[in-house]
């Protein structure tokens, strides 16, 4: 048999769960359909929202005399990456002052995770291993159970073995904190732990500040690598500082000896979804200029080999915002507006379900934070909501709270009430 492509060697994969859901919703002719799947902010009219501060910058940026569409450097727009590091770690971060960070622009948070995943796979070694050594055994990455679905397929495709650490208790709708700490302590030394810095996707359940301290202490005591995914800073609570608590504690504290890898997205908090604006940061526990240079060179090699250099338009917009005090203030006001509307919808959904005396306790909806809620709805209930009521959500029961508004939240609550009342939760 001659070499070539064939259906025997290239299996057809099912549609991506999230974008397949979106396609079904778009094709649904029902006027009262509700899209609670896609993770994008919508205003109270259910429409995409361009942040006012973004509109302001967009209207002025093309009028600048030196505006062009030339290539960026391989590592990206330097004013963006340096500004992004300050947004993440704080203006007074010792990491930045002591030159302990290497930053590279990426294709949003997903691109950051991909670049970081490759970098860690090739260069995160125990002292006994050579940086050039190779092994047929796949490295293991520990991921929360559950997690964002793309984490799993991305790291599997890169070549990792996926293992899960305890996180969500489905019965109590709470964090499996003690089990998580025990798992961290029992994992092999120098393990890689992927952490959601805030607004955990899909559960919306974050550790408390005291719990974060215990998590980081356990990671440090066992020589693990904290690998942060920061996709919702400022979007969860409306405060950049509050939402960066875990990352800043890990990076800026003198209590820990681990390095950090942090992936940062500006898709949600600046509404730069399609412009793909993000960064990856590697933070060292102590200043090492030569190591910083080596890290930056290897990150650049990955970028160069995959996309040559990152896109400029969105980065220029974000750079303007995060490097101007007045624009920063407007941006934070925009984030407060988004996060406040989401909190309002959480309350309204919970209150409507309680008013209808829907079986179960729904307080977890308001106790969770960020864009998503892990409702506790089961696959059969989700299937019925889509088929009979035109309400679209992932099969896990995760909903995007941003898809709710004053005109549809009562309908959604009534539909959930009917389904939960008729279909047992164990199905």
């Amino acid at each position: 048999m001659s070499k070539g492509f064939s259906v025997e060697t290239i299996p057809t994969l099912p549609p991506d769960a999230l974008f397949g859901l979106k396609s079904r919703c778009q094709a649904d002719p029902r006027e009262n359909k509700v899209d609670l799947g896609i993770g994008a902010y919508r205003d109270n009219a259910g429409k995409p929202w361009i942040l006012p501060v973004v509109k302001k910058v967009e209207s002025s940026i093309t009028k600048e005399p030196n505006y062009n569409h030339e290539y960026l450097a391989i590592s990206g727009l330097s004013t963006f990456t340096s500004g992004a590091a300050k947004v993440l770690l704080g203006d007074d971060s010792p990491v930045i002052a002591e030159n302990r960070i290497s930053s590279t622009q990426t294709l949003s948070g997903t691109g950051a995770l991909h670049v970081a995943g490759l970098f860690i796979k090739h260069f995160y070694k125990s002292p006994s291993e050579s940086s050039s050594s190779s092994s047929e055994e796949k490295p293991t990455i520990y991921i929360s159970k559950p997690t964002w679905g793309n984490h799993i397929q991305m790291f599997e495709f890169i070549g990792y073995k996926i293992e899960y650490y305890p996180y969500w208790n489905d019965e109590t709708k709470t964090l499996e904190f003690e089990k998580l700490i025990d798992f961290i302590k029992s994992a092999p030394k120098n393990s890689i732990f992927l952490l959601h810095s805030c607004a955990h996707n899909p559960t919306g359940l974050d550790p408390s500040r005291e719990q974060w301290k215990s998590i980081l202490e356990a990671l440090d005591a066992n020589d693990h690598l904290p690998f942060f995914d920061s996709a919702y800073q400022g979007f969860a609570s409306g405060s950049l500082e509050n939402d960066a608590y875990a990352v800043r504690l890990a990076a800026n504290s003198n209590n820990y000896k681990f390095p950090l890898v942090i992936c940062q997205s500006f898709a949600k908090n600046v509404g730069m979804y399609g412009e793909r604006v993000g960064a990856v940061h590697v933070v060292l526990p102590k200043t090492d200029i030569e190591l910083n240079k080596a890290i930056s060179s290897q990150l650049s090699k990955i970028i160069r080999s995959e996309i040559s250099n990152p896109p400029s338009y969105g980065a220029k917009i974000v750079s303007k915002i995060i490097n101007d005090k007045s624009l920063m203030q407007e941006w934070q006001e925009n984030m407060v507006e988004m996060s406040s509307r989401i909190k309002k919808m959480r309350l309204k959904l919970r209150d409507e379900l309680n008013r209808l005396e829907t079986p179960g306790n729904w307080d977890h909806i308001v106790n969770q934070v960020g864009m998503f809620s892990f409702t506790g709805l089961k696959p059969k209930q989700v299937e019925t909501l889509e088929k009979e009521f035109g309400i679209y959500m992932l099969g896990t029961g995760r909903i995007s709270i941003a898809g709710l508004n004053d005109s549809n939240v009562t309908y959604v609550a009534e539909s959930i009430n009917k389904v939960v009342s008729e279909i047992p939760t164990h199905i």
Side-chain angles (χ1 to χ4, degrees):
M1 181 178 178
S2 62
K3 290 183 178 180
F5 299 125
S6 72
V7 293
E8 284 78 20
T9 58
I10 307 176
T12 300
L13 297 174
D16 178 86
L18 189 57
F19 285 90
L21 181 76
K22 183 176 179 64
S23 295
R24 295 199 305 274
C25 185
Q26 288 175 333
D28 190 332
R30 286 175 285 189
E31 293 185 2
N32 63 343
K33 64 184 178 183
V34 182
D35 185 357
L36 301 180
I38 202 74
Y41 181 77
R42 296 291 181 260
D43 63 19
N44 199 45
K47 303 295 183 184
W49 192 58
I50 300 175
L51 275 62
V53 70
V54 171
K55 283 186 176 181
K56 178 183 287 188
V57 173
E58 281 188 306
S59 67
S60 64
I61 195 170
T62 57
K63 297 182 177 68
E64 295 178 358
N66 294 324
Y67 179 79
N68 58 63
H69 295 289
E70 293 294 300
Y71 291 123
L72 295 179
I74 296 172
S75 59
L77 185 66
S78 60
T79 55
F80 163 71
T81 52
S82 62
K86 290 180 180 179
V87 167
L88 191 63
L89 302 180
D91 290 335
D92 58 351
S93 170
V95 168
I96 297 172
E98 296 165 11
N99 196 21
R100 293 193 278 120
I101 186 169
S102 301
S103 303
T104 296
Q105 186 182 331
T106 61
L107 294 177
S108 200
T110 303
L113 287 161
H114 183 72
V115 170
L118 287 172
F119 175 78
I120 293 169
K121 181 185 175 188
H122 285 287
F123 299 108
Y124 180 63
K125 307 289 182 181
S126 67
S128 62
E129 293 178 286
S130 162
S131 63
S132 61
S133 66
S134 60
S135 172
E136 292 184 3
E137 184 178 351
K138 291 182 178 181
T140 298
I141 185 168
Y142 292 98
I143 294 176
S144 67
K145 186 177 183 179
T147 192
W148 179 46
N150 208 24
H151 282 153
I152 299 166
Q153 65 178 6
M154 181 190 305
F155 290 112
E156 284 182 338
F157 192 77
I158 289 173
Y160 283 89
K161 178 184 177 183
I162 306 292
E163 297 285 352
Y164 297 95
Y165 57 81
Y167 195 85
W168 169 261
N169 185 312
D170 193 50
E171 290 186 9
T172 62
K173 311 294 187 293
T174 58
L175 178 67
E176 295 271 26
F177 178 66
E178 296 299 333
K179 290 183 178 179
L180 169 56
I181 295 297
D182 289 343
F183 188 96
I184 292 172
K185 291 178 179 178
S186 66
K189 296 280 187 179
N190 299 297
S191 291
I192 304 160
F193 277 79
L194 183 66
L195 309 167
H196 300 231
S197 61
C198 71
H200 183 273
N201 181 2
T203 69
L205 177 65
D206 289 344
S208 68
R209 291 193 171 193
E210 287 304 313
Q211 288 173 334
W212 268 122
K213 289 178 183 178
S214 298
I215 291 168
L216 293 175
E217 287 168 4
L219 291 168
D220 186 56
N222 292 275
D223 300 322
H224 298 319
L225 175 69
F227 179 10
F228 279 100
D229 184 358
S230 179
Y232 300 98
Q233 186 188 358
F235 193 90
S237 70
S239 166
L240 291 170
E241 183 176 357
N242 287 344
D243 293 347
Y245 175 79
V247 170
R248 292 185 184 184
L249 178 64
N252 295 334
S253 173
N254 293 323
N255 297 330
Y256 311 120
K257 60 183 181 295
F258 47 52
L260 293 173
V261 178
I262 311 166
C263 296
Q264 183 181 25
S265 169
F266 289 91
K268 306 295 192 296
N269 56 12
V270 192
M272 289 279 108
Y273 302 101
E275 301 302 336
R276 316 309 294 142
V277 185
V280 60
H281 310 274
V282 180
V283 176
L284 300 177
K286 61 181 180 180
T287 304
D288 188 330
I289 301 301
E290 291 305 312
L291 181 53
N292 258 350
K293 288 180 180 177
I295 290 169
S296 294
S297 71
Q298 294 294 345
L299 291 173
S300 290
K301 180 182 179 181
I302 297 171
I303 295 290
R304 177 63 171 159
S305 66
E306 294 198 334
I307 62 171
S308 188
N309 45 42
S312 65
Y313 182 70
K316 288 176 180 178
I317 292 171
V318 175
S319 179
K320 286 286 183 184
I321 294 170
I322 63 180
N323 287 293
D324 182 281
K325 185 176 291 187
S326 175
L327 293 173
M328 273 285 289
Q329 180 61 37
E330 289 187 52
W331 176 38
Q332 294 187 66
E333 291 170 359
N334 293 166
M335 285 188 287
V336 169
E337 182 173 348
M338 290 189 288
S339 61
S340 296
R341 199 190 79 76
I342 286 176
K343 290 174 186 175
K344 176 185 174 184
M345 288 300 107
R346 285 186 180 278
L347 285 166
K348 195 159 186 178
L349 178 60
R350 190 275 309 268
D351 291 348
E352 284 293 304
L353 290 168
N354 286 343
R355 179 185 65 81
L356 295 163
E357 299 183 350
T358 307
N361 186 317
W362 300 93
D363 288 341
H364 59 280
I365 292 174
V366 298
N367 294 333
Q368 296 163 356
V369 296
M371 180 174 285
F372 303 112
S373 173
F374 221 43
T375 60
L377 294 169
K378 304 305 179 185
K380 183 64 176 178
Q381 296 168 333
V382 171
E383 180 184 339
T384 303
L385 283 167
E386 178 176 330
K387 183 178 179 180
E388 296 187 11
F389 301 97
I391 296 173
Y392 290 79
M393 65 185 71
L394 289 178
T396 58
R398 188 205 80 171
I399 65 172
S400 173
I401 298 292
L404 296 173
N405 55 60
D406 287 333
S407 66
N408 67 23
V409 66
T410 298
Y411 172 69
V412 169
E414 290 172 345
S415 302
I416 291 175
N417 176 61
K418 290 177 183 177
V419 168
V420 170
S421 298
E422 295 174 3
I423 302 175
T425 57
H426 66 269
I427 293 181

